Amino acid sequence: MRLHFKTLLAAIFLSGNLVCNFIYAQSEMTLAAFDNLYQSSYLNPAFTSDHKVSLGLPGISSIYFGVGNSGFSFNELTLGAGSNQIKLNALAGIAGKNNLLYQKLGVDIFHLRYKKGNAYLSFHIIHKQQFYWSYPADFLDFASGNFFNPDYSGKTFDLSNLKASFFHYNEYAFAYNKPATWQDKSFIYGFRFKFLQGLSNMLLSPADMKIQTGKSGEAITSNQDFVVHTSGIFSENELNKFGIQGNYFTNFKNPGLAFDAGIAVPLNKKLTVAAGLTNIGFIYWTNNTRDLNMPLKEIFNGVNASNLLLTRDFNTISLSDTIKQQFLPFISSRGSYVAWLIPGLNLNVKYSLGKKWNFQLTGFFEKYKVVRSSIALTGQLKLNRVLSLAGSASFTFNQFNTGLGLVLKPGPFQFYLLCDNLFTTYYTDPEGKIPVPLPLDSRNINIRTGINIVWGAQRNQQRLSGRRNYD
């Protein structure tokens, strides 16, 4: 089966939310090394800064993009490196039992963090878009057309772990962290409360879906229908028409609440452990809610392959049209519903070697249908007050990755660039229609860059470690 190289790249890797599930998932592993960046507090609100004030302005403070697929990389999908021939029938053997594809985008609109006494107060606004898709190997088996294979006669495809979520929302958050003592042990605690402004959502989460082929291999039956909840996707005035309303970005009819919490505990002068729990919350979708229904309970008796093959203009479109006539989706109005965010847990062990070197062992855990994890070892070198560098080695989606981080601070401007999975093979489009080389061997990539404005440097302050000035 051949697909145009350009089209396939765009569909799978540049727009994961357009595919028919991984991770906030996996987390940004290099970001944890720079605990003095305001953005690192997204992993743990107990992370602090070496400046009294941090200010983020619209469009420049932080831009984040992440995409990944735990099941396979693009080159594992094709017959060879740089090939545009897809081996659909082999996907189920490549992917694991339960897989995740994700695509995320985050743009900081504003942030302000200010130190008052020995506590930090902060407020931020972030524009977020996230797509998660959890898919089992049976889904790949079914989607590749193996149900037409005689060997699959009478087979049951278990799609119970199939789930998809699309979130588009704004996050308004207040945070507080402060050093404290308990039984003569010092630590830093932090928490963040978030108000969420839901913009649009799509949610698919079948409870127990199974599809079975008939004994002769052509019939398809299902134990339940396929239903996708939506909000803000369809036109308010026309039931079956897609459309974004004029008040899309100023609509506050889909409220949500969430919180983060974190702690950092120094075990001695050099060793610190920290834990951060993030994205515990939900959005209550009430505006312009619709259900996209596909009646899979209907029996599909197959198509007459001999008649189709005798047709001179037979192609995949004619076969698709035949199936659509059987499984014609329809739109219906629905009431309000709740969609939960994807929670994450970030664990850190930090070792300080002198005043210039820091090493961290980081573990990230996230639950979307099943719990998934990543682990990373990062090292940070503070060359001087202006330049800091970091490198990371991580294991995510059964693949080893390397990343780099840079923080450059000339005067009050704190420029940073962070990337996970930087060192991989890059391929160019042989037709020259995509000018940018793409990392087709990689299963995930996270990139964050921006400029913060900071001032009020502190030499003898308590940092993430929670320790006092021992030196």
Side-chain angles (χ1 to χ4, degrees), residues 218-348:
E218 76 282 357
I220 303 172
T221 59
S222 173
N223 65 333
Q224 64 175 279
D225 291 338
F226 196 81
V227 181
V228 181
H229 305 322
T230 73
S231 176
I233 301 294
F234 293 92
S235 170
E236 290 186 6
N237 301 320
E238 300 182 53
L239 185 64
N240 295 320
K241 182 179 179 181
F242 286 94
I244 294 178
Q245 307 305 305
N247 64 341
Y248 181 81
F249 290 103
T250 57
N251 171 34
F252 283 85
K253 295 181 180 179
N254 302 310
L257 296 173
F259 75 91
D260 304 338
I263 189 172
V265 182
L267 301 181
N268 53 47
K269 294 181 180 181
K270 298 180 179 295
L271 190 62
T272 301
V273 294
L277 191 62
T278 59
N279 291 328
I280 309 300
F282 64 91
I283 298 179
Y284 184 58
W285 299 95
T286 66
N287 183 54
N288 190 20
T289 54
R290 303 279 194 273
D291 272 353
L292 175 62
N293 304 272
M294 182 175 291
L296 292 183
K297 281 187 178 180
E298 301 286 336
I299 297 178
F300 175 54
N301 290 316
V303 296
N304 191 322
S306 60
N307 289 342
L308 286 174
L309 292 174
L310 290 174
T311 303
R312 295 184 62 185
D313 59 350
F314 167 71
N315 53 39
T316 56
I317 296 178
S318 64
L319 176 59
S320 174
D321 289 341
T322 303
I323 296 176
K324 283 180 182 178
Q325 292 175 5
Q326 180 72 35
F327 297 134
L328 185 65
F330 63 92
I331 310 298
S332 63
S333 297
R334 66 155 295 121
S336 58
Y337 64 95
V338 172
W340 290 87
L341 302 182
I342 295 89
L345 174 64
N346 193 83
L347 303 178
N348 300 85

Side-chain angles (χ1 to χ4, degrees), residues 46-60:
F47 286 7
T48 59
S49 175
D50 51 6
H51 293 85
K52 289 185 177 180
V53 181
S54 177
L55 174 66
L57 300 179
I60 64 170

